[in-house]
Amino acid sequence: MKLIRQLGAGAGVTLPEVRVIGEDPVLPSVFPLGTMAAASAGALAAAVAAYAARAGQGGEEGPGGGPHTRGDLGAPDVTIDVRHAAVAFQSERHFRADGKAMDVWAALSGDYRASDGWIRLHCNFDHHRDAAVRALGLPPGSGRQDVGRACAGRRAVEIEEAVIREGGCAAAMRSRAEWLAHPQARALAGLPPVGVFRLSGGDGRASGTGRGETRSETRSETRGGADSGENCRGDGRARAGQMLGGPGGGLPAGAERPLGGVRVLDLTRVIAGPVAARALAAYGADVLRVGAAHLPEVPGLVVETAFGKRSCHIDLRSEADKLRELVRQADVVIQAYRPGALRARGFGPDDLAVLRPGIVCVDISAYGTSGPWASRRGFDSLVQMACGIAHENGDGLRPSPLPAQALDHGTGYLAAFGAVAALLRRAAEGGSWRVEVSLARTAAWLDDLGRIDGAGVRQPRVEDLLATMDSPFGTLTYVTPPGAIDGRRPHWTSPPPRQGEHPAAWAPPS
């Protein structure tokens, strides 16, 4: 799949070929969501196959920094099913706990008609709801009808800005043309869907011989829309042919999980970040989700996105040293706080590279880390509104969202892919690495994929893609993770834990 090769080139790695099963249209939309899902989940599977193959050839660095054992060589058979990947993008819609679906939307969340168009308010967290109510000049406890009347008399962008000033989350519906003319869209133009940068202040090689850098970050020279990367040489790129003796290799003989031993700290909430960490757990990574008792959660989502993870609580206001100790033993840190928020607490990428030379820092944001909206709060449904997707997916007269939280899930899988690509770069070149993705950049990637005649397509069948697992929350029905490597499918070996169930410590090696 050309898109997967392009993603690999943009991240500085050459990936094994991926066999794609099926095609669009899969979901009812003018956007090629099946292609998007297959490309992002397939890129992750290919990167994992490359990582496992390097392990099988006795590469110089194993998961967690330990040695590898040599396994059988040969090109891996990496597959991705388009329907399976698309259904995985709807995973929260098919999730059941004892047969009951979850409702993720709060009463005031939704689209409201403004005097000149539409505005979407995101009120799933109480403090965001309160900010929206204040911005509209309404008293606490106001209901949906009150909000509707207040929005009807004001311009959509005026409401958007007022809510943002109050610390809330909102987005006016823009057309594609309006978004492309916006300064934030221009700030994202030319960036790859997955940015992979080298950090100074740490060397990931066990031998300590990796190169340093004179700047805090060095961007990968290739872009997401660049050449496929099949003939890349001599540019520092982690090339499958150089590392593996060919375009990939089979999973090492006797290996239980391809990412076994890779330690991942999950400092995220809601969907995109948790999906990234959950995807890595499906390939065997040791994922520790770090939350805090005082931080709000979306009750159903915090369960649905937690398969294969452990969960601890750390209050950074008083227990920052606990997180530092976890970082010192981690391979990957995934965070989705607003840009700069963790840096202000001493946990920026450069800080993490000092704590743990060789760390891979994955940063997920709504609108990117540069431009006038870099610090703006955002969620999938808001980015769809702002970037023109909700406008174009329908008739343009009222918002029509995608039939999946595709920006969240796509960004999550791209983040997981970037993490594994950075691990490959670390193994080949040494150093500490930063991966950068955003919902808005993923939206631009989707826009670049073109349009299809899929608006009237029926929802795909899902029964053969579901599984059940017993848990503290009852019997859970969930969408299995997509992809396969040499016939082995990713899977989760443990149910979602209760929040804060585990100590703030890594599990001992099994």
Side-chain angles (χ1 to χ4, degrees), residues 44 47-48 275-277 279-280 334 362 364 411-421 435:
L44 171 60
V48 170
V275 162
L280 295 175
I334 306 175
V362 181
I364 301 173
T411 302
Y413 274 99
L414 291 176
F417 157 71
V420 181
V435 176

Side-chain angles (χ1 to χ4, degrees), residues 375-401:
S375 62
R376 179 166 292 205
R377 297 175 175 88
F379 297 89
D380 180 302
S381 60
L382 300 181
V383 178
Q384 287 191 43
M385 289 284 278
C387 293
I389 291 174
H391 179 271
E392 187 175 352
N393 197 56
D395 58 11
L397 300 178
R398 62 182 303 126
S400 180

